[in-house]
Amino acid sequence: INQFVQVLKDFQYDTLLTSDVPYTIFVPTNDALNNFIGENEMDTTHIKYLISLHFVQSEDIGIKRKIQTLGKKFALLERNGQDIRFDGILLEKESPLYRNGKYFVMESVAEPKPNLYEYFVANNPRLSSYINSLDSIILDKENSTPIGFDENGNTVYDTVSIIYNEF
């Protein structure tokens, strides 16, 4: 697992290991990580998919349990007898509980699945273009600061705007 720790350092995620926030980390073996990096590019999307802000105890997993990862994607934990899988990948080892969480070791690198929008962008350019056409720029009143009034008495803001899409 030392190579995964090095990846965390390379991408400056190693500070998670020293925080007081509890994490569960799904760590690929060194061989699995080397094979993945040999064929793919490791990036923060992959790293954040292997980290969960939720403390996961293996005995609390019924048949299936969905968890949200640091990258806001969902992964599936499944139990079949004593075997536990993370998105279908067998978890080989479970660490003891540490002050800020625990880790599981697995034989492969789990890859995040696309959300619907990412799927549309990759597979249906016409639909993704339509969805993008629905974007609107609106005033974010919570983050904007009122700086005065115009001649009609309307509040003038030091504007912070956001892109909003009803889809």
Side-chain angles (χ1 to χ4, degrees), residues 2 8 13 15-16 22 45 70 77 86 88 96 99 105 118 123 160:
N2 61 334
L8 292 177
Y13 279 88
T15 57
L16 297 175
T45 303
L70 193 60
L77 290 171
F86 178 86
R99 181 176 52 88
V105 178
E118 293 165 339
N123 297 295
V160 175

Side-chain angles (χ1 to χ4, degrees), residues 55-109:
F55 175 66
V56 177
Q57 283 281 65
S58 59
E59 57 268 8
D60 292 341
I61 302 168
I63 296 173
K64 293 182 181 184
R65 180 176 171 192
K66 183 171 63 169
I67 61 167
Q68 189 171 21
T69 66
L70 193 60
K72 307 289 188 220
K73 299 269 187 177
F74 288 94
L76 182 64
L77 290 171
E78 297 175 283
R79 174 185 288 283
N80 185 3
Q82 293 300 315
D83 289 346
I84 301 171
R85 296 181 181 272
F86 178 86
D87 275 355
I89 300 169
L90 182 65
L91 300 177
E92 302 273 331
K93 179 184 177 213
E94 179 177 355
S95 77
L97 175 61
Y98 293 100
R99 181 176 52 88
N100 62 341
K102 67 185 333 177
Y103 66 89
F104 292 88
V105 178
M106 55 189 183
E107 61 191 27
S108 184
V109 177

Side-chain angles (χ1 to χ4, degrees), residues 8 13 16 21-26 44-54 67-75 86:
L8 292 177
Y13 279 88
L16 297 175
V21 177
Y23 293 98
T24 301
I25 303 175
F26 299 92
T44 57
T45 303
H46 290 97
I47 294 168
K48 290 192 286 187
Y49 191 65
L50 300 174
I51 301 170
S52 176
L53 278 168
H54 305 282
I67 61 167
Q68 189 171 21
T69 66
L70 193 60
K72 307 289 188 220
K73 299 269 187 177
F74 288 94
F86 178 86

Side-chain angles (χ1 to χ4, degrees), residues 24-49:
T24 301
I25 303 175
F26 299 92
V27 182
T29 63
N30 288 342
D31 288 340
L33 192 57
N34 286 333
N35 290 338
F36 180 82
I37 292 173
E39 299 173 9
N40 305 280
E41 183 177 337
M42 180 62 82
D43 59 17
T44 57
T45 303
H46 290 97
I47 294 168
K48 290 192 286 187
Y49 191 65

Side-chain angles (χ1 to χ4, degrees), residues 28 33 72 96 138 149 152:
L33 192 57
K72 307 289 188 220
I138 61 173
F149 299 94
N152 297 322

